[in-house]
């Protein structure tokens, strides 16, 4: 690849930063421009609802690279530089402040942003969303001085913020439409584990509840539920999902670039426009194993797609086939989830569910493993991956017997 070429990356998050790093590691000698709208250099978001929120980790612990990394590797990191428009035909990006960047290859790594609540009172002071470091700082301060925190939405972010807020000493109410936390991802059985976990920690759980309005004067004072109940709160945190950031692609300049719940990319992370790629939360990528497009909102996908897409940008063959993986930490419950199971036939357990030390498996109707989640049990991810990749039915009795070695079982089902 010619040293005179410019590779531009829009979005200086984890995927963007890892791509820039990998371009240099792969020996690319041209210009690398990493453009981000945030003031901070690239950082990892998972700690924002965990240790960073609680004040147990500072920025240096969450930054993707040390400050000098970018200049040391001749990566032009442009912070506080939102890209306002792009012209894919001219291969040009327009940045705020009238500067522009011409590129030869482009990576879109713009991530996702929180869905907003559209109801009365949603704009009151004291209502928080959590995506970036500034929001984490503001939320941390608010929780520290608040008595009562209401969290709307018991997905991953909502559950983790509820756990951190409890650990920070606040009274916490967790409000969710489904019957248990995390029901849409994990189902009722494993969701119940999280329900009991939060209840044991003193969280007031309002499941099966809708939110009618947020009430208050100068600032929020309460959440009014659909049934008329009123939950007093000094701080309200909204965690009702995220949407891929594709606003840049709405204009004429992006004509020809397919967008459907994210930027449409093939298994090599290439978009429908030659020379343009996407990675991380914004990418809806064809996965060869699942034979469908999936958009992941996971740290590991941003890390690995960011790393791997550099090879595709350099003209090497790429087939991104990694099995989805994510993790979550709440109180003393840490878990890893491996796989992708938008639907399943049943969930089976191995280990001590009540003692919160177990592995759950999501199976299809032929007893093939679609996903596995290890809770306070470690070093089973490889075995779970092998079972998923094999696509073969497992012996469920042995799978759920803690005395059967998972690696051996994975070998025999493969
Ligand atoms: C609080 C929190 C906790 C999380 N915890 C976990 C966890 O425990 N486990 C897990 O697996 N995942 C977790 N995640 C998800 C994980 O952090 C994301 O999947 C990951 O950050 C995605 O990385 P990304 O680089 O694709 O996007 P982002 O990290 O969102 O980075 C995209 C960047 O692009 C910038 N940008 C967007 N548009 C423009 C533009 N036009 N011009 C310039 N810059 C632009 C954005 O400002 C942003 O900085 C968590 C996320 C959050 C918010």
């Amino acid at each position: 690849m010619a040293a005179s070429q410019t590779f531009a990356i829009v979005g200086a998050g984890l995927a963007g930063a890892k791509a820039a790093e990998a371009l240099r590691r792969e020996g690319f000698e041209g210009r690398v421009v990493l453009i981000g709208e945030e003031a901070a250099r690239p950082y990892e978001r998972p700690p924002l609802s965990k240790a960073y929120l609680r004040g147990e980790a500072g920025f240096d612990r969450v930054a993707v690279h040390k400050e000098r990394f970018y200049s040391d590797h001749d990566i032009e990191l442009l912070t506080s530089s939102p890209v306002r428009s792009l012209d894919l035909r001219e291969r040009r990006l327009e940045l705020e402040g009238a500067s522009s960047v011409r590129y030869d290859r482009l990576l879109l790594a713009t991530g996702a942003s929180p869905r907003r609540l559209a109801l009365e009172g949603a704009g009151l002071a004291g209502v928080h969303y959590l995506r970036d470091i500034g929001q984490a700082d503001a939320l941390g301060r608010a929780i520290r001085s608040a008595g009562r925190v209401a969290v709307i939405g018991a997905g991953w972010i909502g559950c983790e913020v509820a756990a951190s807020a409890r650990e920070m000493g606040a009274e916490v109410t967790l409000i969710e439409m489904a019957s248990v936390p995390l029901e849409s991802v994990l189902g009722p059985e494993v969701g119940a584990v999280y329900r009991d976990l939060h209840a044991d920690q003193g969280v007031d759980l309002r499941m099966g509840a809708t939110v009618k309005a947020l009430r208050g004067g100068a600032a929020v004072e309460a959440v009014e539920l659909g049934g008329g109940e009123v939950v007093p709160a000094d701080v309200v945190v909204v965690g009702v999902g995220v949407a891929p950031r594709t606003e840049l692609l709405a204009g004429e300049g992006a004509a020809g670039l397919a967008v459907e719940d994210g930027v449409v990319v093939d298994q090599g992370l290439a978009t429908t426009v030659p020379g343009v790629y996407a990675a991380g939360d914004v990418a809806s990528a064809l996965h060869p194993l699942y034979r469908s497009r999936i958009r992941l909102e996971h740290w590991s996908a941003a890390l690995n797609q960011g790393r791997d897409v550099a090879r595709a940008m350099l003209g090497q063959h790429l087939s991104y086939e990694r099995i989805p993986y994510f993790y979550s930490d709440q109180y003393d419950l840490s878990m890893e989830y491996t796989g992708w199971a938008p639907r399943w036939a049943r969930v089976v357990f191995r280990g001590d569910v009540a003692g919160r030390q177990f592995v759950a498996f999501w199976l299809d109707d032929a007893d093939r493993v679609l996903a596995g989640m290890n809770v306070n049990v470690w070093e089973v991810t490889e075995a779970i991956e092998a079972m998923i990749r094999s696509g073969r039915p497992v012996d469920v009795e042995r799978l759920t017997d803690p005395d059967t070695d998972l690696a051996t079982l994975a070998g025999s089902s493969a």
Side-chain angles (χ1 to χ4, degrees), residues 5 35 41 59 90 96 110 116 127 138 249 285 352 381 394:
Q5 292 208 323
I35 311 164
R41 71 183 190 271
F59 184 77
E90 295 291 322
E96 193 168 85
T110 48
R116 300 260 147 186
V127 178
L249 310 170
D352 179 5
T381 303
V394 285

Side-chain angles (χ1 to χ4, degrees), residues 75-94:
I75 294 165
E76 293 173 48
L77 171 63
L78 308 182
T79 53
S80 305
S81 301
V83 175
R84 290 298 181 215
S85 66
L86 48 70
D87 187 330
L88 296 178
R89 211 158 349 145
E90 295 291 322
R91 299 195 163 205
R92 198 181 58 237
L93 305 169
E94 300 295 339

Side-chain angles (χ1 to χ4, degrees), residues 10-17 35-38 43-50 78 81-85 109-113 130-132 156-157 160-161 242 245 247-248 279-283 296-303 325-329:
V10 182
L14 181 60
I35 311 164
E37 66 182 0
E38 295 189 60
Y43 57 88
E44 305 206 354
R45 293 176 204 277
L48 302 190
S49 49
K50 310 177 187 76
L78 308 182
S81 301
V83 175
R84 290 298 181 215
S85 66
T110 48
S113 58
L130 181 55
R131 181 76 191 178
D132 64 39
W156 295 112
I157 303 275
E160 290 187 353
V161 169
V242 298
R245 288 199 58 183
E247 66 270 18
L248 196 56
D281 279 14
V282 80
L296 300 165
E297 295 163 359
H298 307 332
W299 169 88
S300 68
L303 181 89
Y325 163 93
F326 66 90
Y327 65 92
S328 174
D329 301 317

Side-chain angles (χ1 to χ4, degrees), residues 8 14 16 33 39 55 57 80 85 111 187 192 215 241 260 280-281 283 324 331 338 351 358 377:
L14 181 60
V33 193
S80 305
S85 66
R215 302 285 177 209
E260 277 171 38
D281 279 14
Y331 313 105
T338 307
F358 64 90
V377 170

Side-chain angles (χ1 to χ4, degrees), residues 162-328:
S164 286
R166 272 308 284 146
E167 289 180 326
M168 292 161 80
E171 295 293 317
V172 177
T173 306
L174 185 54
I175 303 162
E176 166 61 50
M177 232 155 45
S179 61
V180 290
L182 297 159
E183 186 168 351
S184 63
V185 215
L186 302 179
E189 303 92 337
V190 183
V193 172
Y194 280 95
R195 175 198 60 207
D196 297 346
L197 172 73
H198 283 277
D200 287 353
Q201 297 288 338
V203 171
D204 175 8
L205 288 126
R206 308 292 179 98
M207 299 293 107
T210 54
V211 175
K212 188 171 169 202
L214 305 185
R215 302 285 177 209
V220 73
E221 291 167 15
V223 180
E224 185 180 338
L225 302 183
E229 293 155 84
V230 171
V231 176
D234 319 303
V235 170
V236 171
V237 188
V238 182
V240 294
V242 298
R245 288 199 58 183
T246 55
E247 66 270 18
L248 196 56
L249 310 170
E252 260 183 37
L257 191 116
V259 175
E260 277 171 38
D261 181 39
V263 177
V264 172
V265 291
D266 63 16
Q267 65 192 58
L269 305 178
T271 70
T272 48
V273 171
V276 183
Y277 301 80
D281 279 14
V282 80
S284 174
L286 180 68
H287 198 295
L289 185 66
Y290 302 113
R291 294 196 194 89
S292 71
R293 267 192 292 111
I294 57 178
R295 193 176 64 75
L296 300 165
E297 295 163 359
H298 307 332
W299 169 88
S300 68
L303 181 89
N304 292 318
Q305 289 185 348
R307 268 184 197 154
D308 291 357
V309 74
R311 298 208 316 270
M313 294 174 81
L314 290 166
Q316 299 168 23
H317 172 74
L318 171 69
S319 177
Y320 186 88
E321 305 189 3
R322 291 175 198 257
I323 294 200
Y325 163 93
F326 66 90
Y327 65 92
S328 174

